[in-house]
Structures are given as structure tokens and as C-alpha cells.
Amino acid sequence: MSVYRVLTNWWTAFALAISLAMLGAAHAFERFAGLAPCNMCLKQREVFWGAVAISLIATIWTIISQARRGTPRIAAFLLFAVFSTGAITAGFHAGGELKWWDLPATCSGGGVADLEALTSLALGVGEPTRIAMCDAVTWSFLGLSMAGWNMLISAALAAFSLVAAKRPKDARAPKP
């Protein structure tokens, strides 16, 4: 079986694994590298959680149907829409980081302040929470910020989703 056929027949399983890996990487950067997410970063994570939900349901369906028809085309089209949304959101975030345009006024921090935390901070017994600014690049690799990498990866996932949805008819025909 060719790589193309495996990729298109099991695209939702690949999308599920990649989405979980992206979420894991984001949480690892937050937990172990101490990089607090901004509001735009959290919006980008929501896209991957949506992709996890769609691809998990579609992968379970593919397994139950014993992969007779491969990846459900509607799931691949939905993943295309979700990953395209992620690429646009991440691109908007990356453009704001590069000062190409202004980001929304609500993009001032990723943390939620509760009354107890504010009281302990005012009394001098609490730790201050780091507020991440959306237009600040806190990490970059090869000249791209996390948002830039997220844009590229999301765009590639959207393209693969479209390929899986538009695969030739013989690739989705029932096996004899």
C-alpha cells in the first residue's frame, strides 16, 4: 500500500496524533519553559481541541467500519476548515507580533485573576501572575515565533486535509 493511500485512508488518525502533539507541545512550553500563553495563544489551542474532537470521532468511525471506505470525507473537509481557521488565527497573531497590524484590545493577557489571588498579592503573600502580551515574542526558532510555526503547521494540516477529502474515487472505494 502506498504512503499516499495510507495517509488519505487514515488521515483522521494522523490529524488526531498531530493535534494532540501540538497541544502537548504548547502545554510543555507553558509548564516546563515557563512561557505563559496570551489570549491569542489560547484561541489557537481551541482550534486544535476542535480538531481532536472531529478526528477522534472520525477515527473511531473508520475503525468501526473496518476502514472499508477510509477517512470519512466530511471529516476531512471539517478538518480542512478547522486547520484553515487555525492558520488564519496564528497568522493574525504572528502579524501582530511583527507589528504589521494592531491586535485587539482584549489581547492583554492570558491569565484569569480571581479575588483570592488579588487579595494575597495585595497583602504581599501571593506570587504575582505573569501576564503575557499578545504582541510580544517570547520564543522563536529560525526567526519564527510560536505563532509563526503554528501558522505553517496549521496551513500544512489544512492542505493535507483537503488532499484527504479530495482523494481519487478509487482510494475510497470499498475493498472486495
Side-chain angles (χ1 to χ4, degrees):
M1 189 178 265
S2 72
V3 171
Y4 172 78
R5 193 167 189 142
V6 170
L7 183 66
T8 57
N9 280 349
W10 290 97
W11 173 243
T12 55
F14 287 112
L16 176 63
I18 294 167
S19 295
L20 288 172
M22 290 292 288
L23 287 167
H27 288 288
F29 273 107
E30 181 179 351
R31 176 85 172 159
F32 302 116
L35 300 176
C38 68
N39 285 333
M40 293 290 290
C41 294
L42 295 174
K43 294 294 181 198
Q44 293 168 59
R45 288 184 194 180
E46 289 173 8
V47 169
F48 284 105
W49 281 115
V52 165
I54 293 167
S55 57
L56 179 63
I57 292 167
T59 300
I60 290 171
W61 173 255
T62 303
I63 291 168
I64 289 172
S65 70
Q66 298 169 350
R68 285 190 295 270
R69 295 188 56 89
T71 296
R73 293 181 79 188
I74 189 73
F77 275 119
L78 286 172
L79 287 171
F80 167 72
V82 167
F83 289 132
S84 294
T85 301
I88 292 167
T89 304
F92 181 72
H93 187 191
E97 289 176 337
L98 294 170
K99 311 294 189 249
W100 291 348
W101 46 73
D102 291 330
L103 293 171
T106 59
C107 195
S108 61
V112 176
D114 60 358
L115 187 57
E116 195 172 305
L118 289 174
T119 304
S120 64
L121 183 60
L123 295 174
V125 295
E127 297 229 3
T129 57
R130 287 184 44 206
I131 296 182
M133 302 300 287
C134 292
D135 60 352
V137 177
T138 57
W139 180 90
S140 67
F141 179 67
L142 297 177
L144 286 177
S145 67
M146 276 192 209
W149 283 106
N150 192 358
M151 180 189 66
L152 292 177
I153 293 168
S154 294
L157 292 172
F160 281 121
S161 296
L162 193 59
V163 167
K166 300 291 288 176
R167 66 189 179 277
K169 187 171 178 106
D170 65 339
R172 63 180 196 277
K175 296 176 185 166

